[in-house]
Amino acid sequence: MGVVELRGLRKEFGEVKAVNGVDLSIQKGELVVILGPSGCGKTTLMRMVAGLELPTDGEVLIGDRNVTALPPRARDIAMVFQSYALYPHMTVFDNIAFPLKARKAPKEEMAQKVEWAAGILGIQRLLARKPRQLSGGERQRVALARALVKEPAVMLLDEPLSNLDAKLRVSARDELQQFQRNLGITTIFVTHDQIEAMGLGDRIAVMNAGKVRQVGDPQEIYDDPADTFVATFLGSPPMNLLERNGHLLGFRPESFLPLEVARGDREKVTFPFHLGRVENLGSDRLLYGTVEGAERNRTISKLPSTVEVSVEAGETYDFAVCRADLRYFDKESGLRKEPPPREGG
Amino acid sequence: MAETAERTATRKPSEMFPARELSSGAFLADREGLLGILFLAPAVLYIIGLVGIPFFLAIAFSLSDATIGDASLDIVGFRNFSRVIQTPQFRRALFDSFFFTIVAQFIVIVLANILAVVMSRDFRGKWLARTLIILPWATPISLGTIGWKWILDSKFSPIDWVLQQVGLLGGPDALLGPGRHLTYLGVEGLAVSSVILVHVWRILPLATVILMAGLTSIPRDILEQAQVDGAKFWRIHFQVSIPMILPIMSIALLFGLIFTFTDMVVTFILTRGGPVYYTQVLPLWAWFKGIDGGNLGEGAAIALFMFPVLLATAILILRSARRMEVT
Amino acid sequence: MQAIMPRLKRAGHYLIVAAFCFFTAAPFLIMIVNTFKQDADLYRPQNNPFIYNVPPTLDNLRLLFEGTNYLGFVRNSLFVGVLVVLITLVVAVPAAYALARLAGSWGERAGIAIFLVYLVPPTLLFIPLFRVVTAFGLNDSVWSLVLVYPTISIPFSTWLLMGFFKSIPRDLEEAAMVDGFSRLMAFFKVVMPLSLSGVIAVTVFTFTLTLHEFVYAMTFISSSDSRPLSVGVPIELVRGDVFYWQSLLAAAVIVAIPVGIVYNMFLDRLVAGFTMGAVKG
Ligand SMILES: Nc1ncnc2c1ncn2[C@@H]1O[C@H](COP(=O)(O)OP(=O)(O)OP(=O)(O)O)[C@@H](O)[C@H]1O
Ligand SMILES: [Mg+2]
């Protein structure tokens, strides 16, 4: 049984079903990323785990204890808010020590723990400052230190990197992963950024419209999406979806290659690809076009710059996908299904 | 080697200081609903107890023959009202209450508009000017009015002295008459004007400051756009600024209306309703009848005549408040 | 020619400002001048009322402080003011917080309702409250004012503080709760320190309000010993037909000027409260 267990969790705000039946089990020391588009209920889910929101229905278990009705302070959790929520009237030291004060820890323990947390995040020299004297990156570290110092059973992070600039975000992500691994703190990380999710997560839970669509490790989510939502939410550009012979079939743009390039002995399916437009991104070329003889047929191919085939807009070429890279989805429900017995190309 | 070093560096202090278990006992202090009720209760009780109940008590008094000496409440119906309405004092008080309020507010809005525009500009000594302009609102009205009582004194009025010096008063062919004094508070027309003057003096600061707040809240780019479009200053003021601060202006106006309409201090200190009863107003008349004269029933009846006006004003405030939220 | 226009404009601007300032400050000017005038100077109608025709004197101030109950009024006003401020804070701070945070959608409406109570004037309620005060046996006692004044200060203070609390990000309280405090403690540890300026503003307004109030004080209190300044000065310093004019005006200006200056410092807050929407930011 996991450190955190969510069972049939639902939350309604009046008419809005923000979270609509979530079951999730998170193991000790694991970093689970909750990924989904804006407004899909990630924050609401997280707040229910934290105890800041009472579920309409369902249960939250933390460390084998049913904490559904308990306030945040009785849950053994820590949380980093998107805004960092540093207390503006306290110094960095007092901010970090705040959870220990709540616990009425003795002075000496307080100093030692703050020192320890600040050390891990490399912010010892900032301890005397006030939050408004810190940069965005420093604030984020202080918020992390404040979460760390509690040594919680679970650490909850709600888009903690979204306020940082692009460059800082990459290094902060790296550090975050480092110390999470080192300390082995069970962590739930919320983001709508798929690159962050892929790079960081031990497992990813993809959410949409209040429901978890798929849980799995990053590769699994990418390679074997459970439905068309997951298939098109991840990857850039997203998975191509073609409707043909009553089936919905999907394949990644990078598996969709000109026939002469796609060598190797794996069984292939060929499509006549009418090329509309070419976009050169330097490392890749994106080819936008349509597959002839399919109903929903807008398709993208992603060619690495190492592939030196010359193609021209307006022409039709033979492109191929390995049969093993084809995914089939149900036309109505969008769910994955087994490949049909006979599918030719 | 490196691995062990890292281990020690990240060794958790909890291994040295075991965490204490939080007692999962009473979480009363976390329950929002309960806390909300507990927090709100004293204020609500206070207001119900000392505003709500007295209000209904006022209605009960107005229907009874209660006096200061006689504590019992014998209901006598609308006798107080009918008796009160028949007195000329009441009719005059009713008229004056409206007259003072409306005339004073009209003057205040005109003056406040000018003053707010003048004060919105930057100039040296602005802080001092603002302090001086605020004084009438900031000081206890009863004390401020004393100053006016001296200025309007029948014998020693400094205004009379100035008028005499410039030859408008006291000479055989002076414009304002041969007498040496105008006796501001002793003649009907002048007494009415004096009361209105003091009300204007009292409300002008608040109206000005509210309008100034409104003017500074107008986005700069809108004004600059109007300037670029070639509009002149007063044109901008009347066609851009005033429509934009109209909601705030209505708030200032409504507050002024209520404060003036329900005030009894100015007339009490300045004229006591005189000469005769020509500056009588509802609240002061209610006080004279109810407390001074000891007839609580009639006093309450007179005071209650203010209520419909207050209610209408409250509704207007709600309306304009809602309109302000849209903008 | 071109240089003259702006200069004329500036002069005109100053002239308008000066005229208004003269109008608003005139009574205080007269008060200050008269404070130091001798009777022989003041009571001669042909004397220039704006200057000292006879050397100024301190006798009027001496009479005020030694010959009248002025210091008693000051003491009463301070006593009432301090207690009313305390009651107001104890009642209005939690109420404002409840309306800003704990109450759901009806919080806003309840807030407006409470604010409207501020518009119920003392002149509508003094008659029934006179009986209430009598029933409590508080007639003629400053305690009657301590009891009744919060009905004016609580609604306004609640409204003002509500704006302050709303401007504090919810995140901060929630962070405190996650950090291990109860909702109640989060309020004391995080929200209160951050709304200190609101608490100060409310303190100032409540205090000045108690200084201003006249109707209740005049209705409930008839003995000189219990009167506060607002009523004591205009009523006690006029004995029958005898006006101690200089002392009377001195008594007024001594209170008026300091209160005016303090008030001025907090005025913007007050205006924000008056104009509602503005406090939300
Ligand atoms: N307190 C609330 N009252 C009403 N509706 C709410 C409330 N909180 C959230 N919602 C609604 O619930 C849905 C989910 O919101 P939530 O904040 O959980 O989304 P999110 O996935 O965190 O989005 P984002 O990535 O933009 O932060 C949204 O439609 C939102 O409008
Ligand atoms: Mg969110």
Side-chain angles (χ1 to χ4, degrees):
Chain A
M1 189 154 138
V3 175
V4 179
E5 294 272 341
L6 310 182
R7 293 184 186 157
L9 219 47
R10 293 198 311 113
K11 178 72 190 180
E12 292 172 10
F13 296 107
E15 291 288 284
V16 184
K17 292 189 168 81
V19 171
N20 194 9
V22 166
D23 295 277
L24 195 61
S25 171
I26 294 162
Q27 306 304 315
K28 191 161 171 50
E30 196 179 25
L31 195 163
V32 172
V33 175
I34 295 177
L35 173 67
S38 187
C40 71
K42 308 179 295 285
T43 300
T44 309
L45 182 66
M46 179 88 104
R47 288 168 58 84
M48 286 193 285
V49 177
L52 295 169
E53 210 86 71
L54 200 65
T56 309
D57 207 357
E59 289 180 343
V60 179
L61 280 78
I62 294 177
D64 292 342
R65 224 157 37 111
N66 187 336
V67 296
T68 316
L70 295 186
R73 67 197 167 104
R75 292 193 174 202
D76 200 12
I77 46 139
M79 184 162 174
V80 174
F81 290 75
Q82 185 168 356
S83 63
Y84 306 141
L86 301 181
Y87 311 117
H89 57 303
M90 299 181 195
T91 61
V92 168
F93 181 94
D94 289 332
N95 262 283
I96 300 176
F98 201 61
L100 303 172
K101 281 195 190 126
R103 214 186 269 173
K104 300 199 171 62
K107 274 251 150 48
E108 136 211 36
E109 174 186 349
M110 203 138 58
Q112 203 155 345
K113 282 195 174 179
V114 172
E115 195 63 31
W116 167 75
I120 291 177
L121 289 150
I123 49 172
Q124 292 103 319
R125 68 199 165 76
L126 304 178
L127 288 177
R129 292 203 205 164
K130 287 273 176 74
R132 78 183 115 78
Q133 300 165 311
L134 301 178
S135 73
E138 289 164 345
R139 281 178 205 186
Q140 185 244 350
R141 285 154 191 263
V142 175
L144 274 174
R146 186 173 70 187
L148 261 190
V149 85
K150 268 188 93 175
E151 297 176 57
V154 197
M155 191 154 76
L156 308 173
L157 309 174
D158 190 357
E159 313 209 16
L161 307 180
S162 63
N163 282 339
L164 304 180
D165 67 47
K167 207 170 150 197
L168 199 56
R169 205 178 301 176
V170 175
S171 64
R173 191 162 78 208
D174 196 46
E175 273 174 34
L176 192 69
Q177 191 169 41
Q178 287 279 323
F179 91 63
Q180 191 271 338
R181 294 261 154 85
N182 283 340
L183 299 172
I185 303 178
T186 315
T187 303
I188 305 180
F189 184 105
V190 163
T191 181
H192 60 251
D193 180 341
Q194 50 164 309
I195 300 181
E196 222 165 82
M198 300 292 282
L200 212 47
D202 293 324
R203 283 195 302 154
I204 297 177
V206 184
M207 274 187 82
N208 186 37
K211 286 202 160 87
V212 170
R213 293 309 182 92
Q214 187 176 8
V215 186
D217 64 49
Q219 203 61 47
E220 201 179 321
I221 298 265
Y222 191 79
D223 288 343
D224 287 307
D227 59 16
T228 50
F229 171 79
V230 179
T232 51
F233 187 68
L234 275 99
S236 99
M239 187 177 261
N240 294 307
L241 287 178
L242 288 187
E243 195 178 328
R244 208 166 73 156
N245 305 338
H247 301 295
L248 212 51
L249 68 158
F251 46 86
R252 293 277 168 200
E254 60 269 23
S255 332
F256 188 58
L257 299 173
L259 189 56
E260 65 262 41
V261 184
R263 288 209 199 88
D265 10 310
R266 295 159 72 198
E267 189 191 345
K268 298 196 180 55
V269 183
T270 329
F271 301 91
F273 180 56
H274 180 78
L275 184 56
R277 195 164 63 85
V278 180
E279 223 171 61
N280 199 333
L281 301 180
S283 61
D284 302 290
R285 268 185 298 170
L286 295 184
L287 314 181
Y288 295 84
T290 50
V291 166
E292 286 167 7
E295 284 136 61
R296 242 166 80 181
N297 58 4
R298 311 190 46 150
T299 310
I300 304 172
S301 161
K302 183 168 164 184
L303 300 183
S305 57
T306 48
V307 175
E308 288 170 10
V309 186
S310 76
V311 285
E312 256 177 66
E315 299 292 314
T316 302
Y317 301 94
D318 270 347
F319 271 53
V321 186
C322 290
R323 186 174 288 286
D325 291 338
L326 280 179
R327 302 286 177 263
Y328 294 85
F329 300 94
D330 186 79
K331 220 170 80 178
E332 267 76 46
S333 65
L335 293 177
R336 259 305 274 292
K337 64 180 189 185
E338 289 303 305
R342 205 43 244 161
E343 161 73 13
Chain B
M1 260 309 274
E3 206 188 354
T4 34
E6 195 168 51
R7 279 265 166 76
T8 32
T10 57
R11 197 166 71 104
K12 297 179 187 179
S14 60
E15 289 157 23
M16 294 175 268
F17 305 102
R20 233 167 304 171
E21 248 316 299
L22 192 93
S23 71
S24 49
F27 290 116
L28 287 180
D30 291 291
R31 289 180 44 197
E32 291 202 2
L34 185 73
L35 222 53
I37 290 169
L38 281 179
F39 272 23
L40 209 50
V44 170
L45 290 181
Y46 217 117
I47 286 168
I48 289 178
L50 289 173
V51 177
I53 292 176
F55 177 70
F56 287 103
L57 216 53
I59 295 178
F61 279 169
S62 73
L63 300 173
S64 79
D65 63 355
T67 60
I68 286 189
D70 173 21
S72 66
L73 267 183
D74 299 321
I75 300 300
V76 296
F78 289 94
R79 211 173 66 197
N80 289 324
F81 287 96
S82 58
R83 192 163 347 145
V84 158
I85 289 176
Q86 282 161 11
T87 62
Q89 285 94 330
F90 172 79
R91 281 186 230 135
R92 180 70 191 221
L94 190 65
F95 173 80
D96 278 351
S97 284
F98 278 100
F99 186 71
F100 291 169
T101 307
I102 291 167
V103 175
Q105 285 318 297
F106 180 77
I107 299 172
V108 162
I109 285 295
V110 173
L111 292 184
N113 262 297
I114 300 171
L115 190 51
V117 169
V118 176
M119 287 296 291
S120 309
R121 237 181 269 172
D122 274 324
F123 59 92
R124 280 181 60 190
K126 187 172 167 175
W127 192 85
L128 179 69
R130 198 180 94 149
T131 309
L132 291 179
I133 285 168
I134 283 313
L135 270 181
W137 177 254
T139 55
I141 176 70
S142 59
L143 303 188
T145 309
I146 290 178
W148 281 108
K149 196 175 168 70
W150 172 258
I151 294 177
L152 299 170
D153 190 83
S154 61
K155 262 210 198 112
F156 307 107
S157 165
I159 304 177
D160 283 348
W161 184 83
V162 172
L163 291 176
Q164 288 164 22
Q165 295 303 306
V166 298
L168 284 174
L169 185 68
D173 44 29
L175 194 64
L176 295 171
R180 298 201 58 81
H181 300 289
L182 287 175
T183 53
Y184 298 93
L185 303 177
V187 184
E188 182 179 356
L190 284 176
V192 166
S193 311
S194 300
V195 171
I196 291 176
L197 172 84
V198 177
H199 274 304
V200 169
W201 175 80
R202 154 78 164 169
I203 298 292
L204 180 63
L206 181 71
T208 304
V209 174
I210 291 180
L211 287 192
M212 277 169 70
L215 284 179
T216 44
S217 73
I218 297 177
R220 269 220 111 73
D221 46 357
I222 291 184
L223 296 180
E224 277 161 8
Q225 181 63 48
Q227 270 168 1
V228 170
D229 293 345
K232 284 262 161 37
F233 178 80
W234 285 107
R235 197 184 163 81
I236 294 178
H237 186 70
F238 281 110
Q239 297 193 345
V240 181
S241 301
I242 288 198
M244 285 197 73
I245 61 170
L246 217 50
I248 277 192
M249 201 144 91
S250 66
I251 296 271
L253 179 68
L254 293 169
F255 272 103
L257 286 176
I258 287 196
F259 287 140
T260 315
F261 191 74
T262 63
D263 179 80
M264 63 171 264
V265 185
V266 172
T267 41
F268 180 85
I269 304 258
L270 214 55
T271 63
R272 303 242 164 177
V276 197
Y277 47 78
Y278 296 147
T279 60
Q280 193 59 273
V281 287
L282 287 178
L284 186 59
W285 185 235
W287 192 87
F288 277 134
K289 272 279 168 197
I291 303 296
D292 224 29
N295 192 335
L296 296 177
E298 283 189 15
I302 297 167
L304 276 176
F305 274 93
M306 294 191 291
F307 185 67
V309 178
L310 296 175
L311 196 67
T313 316
I315 290 168
L316 281 174
I317 286 198
L318 279 182
R319 284 257 173 89
S320 56
R322 200 165 302 143
R323 192 149 25 102
M324 273 167 66
E325 263 162 32
V326 178
T327 54
Chain C
M1 192 52 204
Q2 282 134 328
I4 292 174
M5 274 311 282
R7 219 179 287 170
L8 266 180
K9 265 192 180 167
R10 186 143 19 108
H13 181 251
Y14 269 108
L15 210 66
I16 298 174
V17 172
F20 273 108
C21 287
F22 180 75
F23 173 53
T24 54
F28 304 102
L29 226 77
I30 291 289
M31 288 179 193
I32 293 172
V33 172
N34 285 3
T35 296
F36 305 103
K37 278 205 175 189
Q38 298 193 22
D39 281 357
D41 186 354
L42 188 70
Y43 295 126
R44 285 193 42 173
Q46 56 272 44
N47 276 357
N48 183 339
F50 302 103
I51 60 167
Y52 295 103
N53 306 285
V54 175
T57 171
L58 288 176
D59 285 350
N60 304 316
L61 287 176
R62 204 167 298 129
L63 175 73
L64 179 64
F65 284 103
E66 289 167 9
T68 73
N69 206 2
Y70 189 59
L71 288 177
F73 304 151
V74 172
R75 206 169 35 245
N76 289 336
S77 277
L78 286 178
F79 180 81
V80 172
V82 168
L83 282 179
V84 171
V85 165
L86 287 180
I87 293 176
T88 303
L89 287 179
V90 166
V91 176
V93 166
Y97 184 69
L99 291 177
R101 284 294 153 78
L102 305 174
S105 53
W106 52 272
E108 186 80 11
R109 248 169 291 153
I112 291 177
I114 282 204
F115 183 66
L116 287 180
V117 174
Y118 176 68
L119 298 178
V120 178
T123 42
L124 189 63
L125 298 178
F126 65 89
I127 287 177
L129 279 175
F130 177 75
R131 280 306 272 280
V132 172
V133 165
T134 314
F136 278 110
L138 295 177
N139 256 1
D140 240 10
S141 149
V142 284
W143 288 101
S144 64
L145 304 181
V146 173
L147 179 74
V148 169
Y149 283 174
T151 58
I152 316 174
S153 59
I154 287 172
F156 192 69
S157 305
T158 304
W159 179 263
L160 208 70
L161 285 168
M162 206 168 103
F164 267 93
F165 292 149
K166 276 191 178 163
S167 71
I168 296 174
R170 262 168 204 270
D171 277 7
L172 292 181
E173 284 152 272
E174 290 178 345
M177 287 167 68
V178 169
D179 282 349
F181 288 97
S182 64
R183 178 113 219 171
L184 191 65
M185 286 309 288
F187 169 68
F188 282 117
K189 292 264 177 187
V190 176
V191 180
M192 277 307 278
L194 289 176
S195 16
L196 207 62
S197 66
V199 171
I200 292 173
V202 162
T203 303
V204 169
F205 292 129
T206 302
F207 194 81
T208 48
L209 192 143
T210 64
L211 278 179
H212 285 198
E213 211 288 327
F214 182 85
V215 177
Y216 290 146
M218 192 170 73
T219 307
F220 302 156
I221 294 177
S222 48
S223 78
S224 168
D225 286 342
S226 304
R227 282 199 161 124
L229 278 167
S230 62
V231 170
V233 171
I235 291 183
E236 297 278 323
L237 297 190
V238 180
R239 304 234 171 88
D241 275 346
V242 188
F243 281 58
Y244 298 103
W245 268 113
Q246 299 97 317
S247 305
L248 188 63
L249 295 171
V253 79
I254 290 171
V255 179
I257 301 286
V259 174
I261 289 172
V262 173
Y263 208 82
N264 193 22
M265 294 196 297
F266 288 87
L267 190 74
D268 296 326
R269 281 275 153 232
L270 179 76
V271 171
F274 267 115
T275 52
M276 310 195 195
V279 281
K280 283 174 190 157

